[in-house]
């Protein structure tokens, strides 16, 4: 809704299932869920990345949070924070040092969540998009 050129409409369930099966079958991609009473209330998809040193940065192992979602009726109850803590624990198990996430500038809810989780902005990401 906020950035229609960037974000596609949600696909049909079968297309989403096929995408997730392919994505989650990759070696370093992990899904973590928050379940209560047999119901999935939230999940996150992270990638553990082992990044080699370059002339421009040090080597690091990081968990990149690609997606986090909490059921709309369950928000503001600490589920998103618990998911980020679980991602941080997985990262520590992998010997990692960095938990990273990106979020859209308009998304104040995500900004608040990552701040509560102790993440701080370290760079800005800008882009130009062609009209065609």
């Amino acid at each position: 809704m906020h950035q229609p050129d960037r974000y596609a409409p949600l696909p049909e369930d079968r297309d989403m299932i096929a995408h997730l099966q392919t994505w989650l079958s990759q070696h370093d991609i992990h899904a973590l869920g928050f379940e209560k009473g047999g119901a999935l209330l939230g999940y996150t998809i992270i990638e553990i990345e082992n990044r080699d040193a370059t002339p421009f940065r040090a080597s690091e192992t990081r968990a990149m949070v690609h997606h986090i979602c909490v059921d709309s009726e369950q928000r503001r109850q600490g589920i998103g924070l618990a998911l980020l803590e679980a991602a941080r624990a997985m990262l520590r198990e992998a010997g990692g040092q960095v938990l990273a996430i990106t979020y859209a500038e308009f998304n104040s809810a995500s900004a608040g969540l990552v701040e509560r989780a102790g993440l701080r902005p370290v760079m800005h990401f800008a882009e130009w998009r062609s009209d065609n």
Side-chain angles (χ1 to χ4, degrees):
M1 177 172 64
H2 294 278
Q3 296 174 337
D5 292 342
R6 172 172 263 283
Y7 300 104
L10 289 176
E12 297 293 322
D13 285 350
R14 65 182 157 80
D15 294 331
M16 181 63 87
I17 290 168
H19 168 70
L20 288 172
Q21 285 175 330
T22 300
W23 193 18
L24 293 172
S25 70
Q26 295 177 36
H27 174 68
D28 292 326
I29 302 292
H30 307 274
L32 304 172
F34 187 98
E35 186 180 337
K36 185 175 180 182
L40 182 65
L41 304 181
Y43 67 92
T44 187
I45 298 173
I46 67 170
E47 180 175 6
I48 303 293
E49 301 173 330
N50 295 300
R51 296 163 40 118
D52 293 331
T54 71
F56 309 105
R57 66 169 164 74
S59 66
E60 66 183 16
T61 296
R62 75 176 186 180
M64 184 68 209
V65 178
H66 289 294
H67 192 71
I68 187 166
C69 183
V70 175
D71 180 82
S72 61
E73 293 184 19
Q74 305 297 323
R75 292 181 183 154
R76 306 213 40 91
Q77 296 183 38
I79 295 170
L81 192 56
L83 288 166
L84 290 178
E85 287 302 322
R88 194 183 328 253
M90 180 178 273
L91 170 66
R92 285 184 179 128
E93 270 187 41
Q97 305 88 4
V98 178
L99 179 64
I101 190 169
T102 61
Y103 55 91
E105 190 172 294
F106 67 81
N107 195 334
S108 59
S110 287
L113 170 61
V114 299
E115 184 177 340
R116 285 189 303 282
L119 285 79
R120 302 288 177 254
V122 294
M123 62 178 26
H124 291 278
F125 177 85
E127 65 182 25
W128 171 86
R129 287 187 177 266
S130 171
D131 291 337
N132 55 13

